[in-house]
Amino acid sequence: MTAETAEMSAAARALGGHRVLDPPGVLPQAARRLDATPAIGPDEVRLSVQRLNLDAASFRQLSESCGGDGDAVRAAVLGIVAERGKMQNPVTGSGGMLIGVVDAVGPRSPLGLAVGQRVATLVSLTLTPLAITDGLARWEGRSEQVPAEGTAVLFARSIAAVLPDDLPDAVSLAVLDVCGAPAATARVVRRAAAHSVVVLGAAGKSGCLSLAAARAAGATELTGLVRDRREAAALSAAGLADRVVAADATDPLAVAAAVGTPAEVTVVCVDAPGAEHGAVLATADGGTVVFFSMATSFAQAALGAEGMAADVTMLIGNGYTPGHAALALDLYRSIPGVRSLIDPRVHA
Ligand code: NAP
């Protein structure tokens, strides 16, 4: 083996390439199947899983396709994990994340984790080797949060956060799952020195955190678009937006009418497909749309914007931005309006 090949394989290993079973040559996120064997290599970490957080778009799709039958949703999740060695919804392509206890650390792991620490993975379930051993017996299949037993594996280039002591696990899990959204929003608002921001799906978890992050980053005209009057009342009471409007985010003309003057930045935080065109119409020429939703279609966004001759920059909401976990947890801790919207979803 040449030095160059050895270096390449070490880099691929750090990204989990050695765990890919099918198809060969791709990284774990793009794999159909991973090797979820609990025995770890020298640079890996094994977690004893306690709870999964299915991402909202995936859970909605599974729930709708099973007609709301919890047993069928549980069977579907078990089937996916058994078949794929990871929790990646084949329809939405999305996953979520998990919390667990570190139960083995390879001698060459660079993650700095110690056996016994309780952590949340900050990498997606779509690339995390996962084996479930309890049949998800404690989960009724009716919520995004899934009590679970089993094992998960972190690679050398994975990231994980030690769980904070001052928050319930379920809250940390929910906030950390969407922590990329407020970080991306803050970055875009700051870079553009933007004043006006519209958030679609503003009363949801990532939506309310994005509003709070936009405010903290200097935005002064915040519009929250929500689905209906009930959510409008909750968002108004939370005090996170200057203006609350209600419309179906999947109806582009209704979104445009509700938003009125387009904003410099639009953040898409709905968990349903079909929000691309409304988001483009809600955004001023020269502005930016951040598509955080996993239900976003690249083709609908790109071709829709072209068809509307809309000069907008469109960003894929990368789940990772440096400092994202601390920022989201701090927004949750310090802003009562954020807590008032997230808590009922977590305890529901
Ligand atoms: P959430 O808490 O369920 O919030 C979604 C919000 O959108 C809810 O308030 C929901 O209303 C609203 N909504 C759904 N359909 C709507 C419609 N047609 N019109 C108006 N509002 C609508 O979800 P979340 O956890 O914040 O996640 C939001 C999205 O981010 C999901 O697609 C999720 O998969 C994605 N995500 C992305 C990343 C990333 O790295 N980019 C990471 C994690 C999650 P109801 O509650 O009334 O349905």
Side-chain angles (χ1 to χ4, degrees):
M1 187 186 280
T2 65
E4 195 181 333
T5 320
E7 197 179 304
M8 285 283 288
S9 59
R13 218 195 127 78
L15 295 164
H18 59 295
R19 289 269 181 179
V20 172
L21 295 177
D22 176 39
V26 302
L27 291 177
Q29 205 284 331
R32 269 190 293 277
R33 222 153 44 87
L34 296 182
D35 174 3
T37 313
I40 56 166
D43 54 351
E44 294 180 327
V45 168
R46 184 175 62 233
L47 303 180
S48 172
V49 176
Q50 295 181 320
R51 190 177 275 249
L52 311 177
N53 191 92
L54 303 183
D55 90 282
S58 172
F59 179 71
R60 178 184 285 269
Q61 188 280 326
L62 285 167
S63 200
E64 287 177 359
S65 70
C66 295
D69 176 348
D71 289 341
V73 174
R74 182 174 52 230
V77 171
L78 285 168
I80 291 168
V81 176
E83 189 186 322
R84 307 197 68 172
K86 59 177 179 172
M87 180 53 213
Q88 181 172 28
N89 181 321
V91 177
T92 62
S94 57
M97 36 88 79
L98 63 83
I99 58 177
V101 179
V102 176
D103 80 343
V105 178
R108 292 210 292 278
S109 168
L111 300 185
L113 296 173
V115 170
Q117 278 179 321
R118 302 190 56 250
V119 298
T121 58
L122 296 179
V123 288
S124 171
L125 287 178
T126 64
L127 56 89
T128 304
L130 175 68
I132 290 174
T133 53
D134 69 343
L136 303 180
R138 288 176 293 136
W139 183 48
E140 306 211 322
R142 295 186 195 285
S143 60
E144 289 166 17
Q145 294 215 359
V146 185
E149 283 173 28
T151 54
V153 175
L154 297 177
F155 314 128
R157 251 187 92 169
S158 301
I159 43 173
V162 175
L163 282 168
D165 293 332
D166 61 325
L167 299 176
D169 286 355
V171 166
S172 300
L173 190 55
V175 170
L176 292 172
D177 180 46
V178 296
C179 66
T185 303
R187 179 186 266 188
V188 169
V189 167
R190 244 185 232 115
R191 283 187 179 166
H195 296 291
S196 55
V197 175
V198 172
V199 176
L200 307 186
K205 298 182 291 294
S206 56
C208 69
L209 285 162
S210 297
L211 279 175
R215 177 84 74 204
T220 50
E221 294 166 40
L222 300 183
T223 300
L225 183 139
V226 297
R227 183 202 283 285
D228 54 27
R229 281 185 173 178
R230 188 185 55 79
E231 281 201 325
L235 182 58
S236 298
L240 300 173
D242 302 301
R243 201 163 62 100
V244 176
V245 298
D248 178 355
T250 67
D251 179 339
L253 298 179
V255 171
V259 168
T261 307
E264 293 158 274
V265 175
T266 299
V267 187
V268 181
C269 291
V270 297
D271 59 346
E276 297 84 353
H277 297 170
V280 170
L281 288 176
T283 311
D285 264 4
T288 302
V289 185
V290 181
F291 285 110
F292 188 69
S293 167
M294 284 293 161
T296 303
S297 152
F298 180 90
Q300 286 214 29
L303 300 175
E306 177 196 271
M308 293 179 240
D311 177 18
V312 294
T313 300
M314 296 189 284
L315 301 179
I316 293 174
N318 177 354
Y320 175 70
T321 303
H324 61 339
L327 172 71
L329 290 170
D330 284 349
L331 291 170
Y332 176 85
R333 287 188 185 102
S334 60
I335 302 182
V338 170
R339 293 200 294 277
S340 74
L341 292 168
I342 290 184
D343 286 352
R345 289 181 182 273
V346 171
H347 302 304

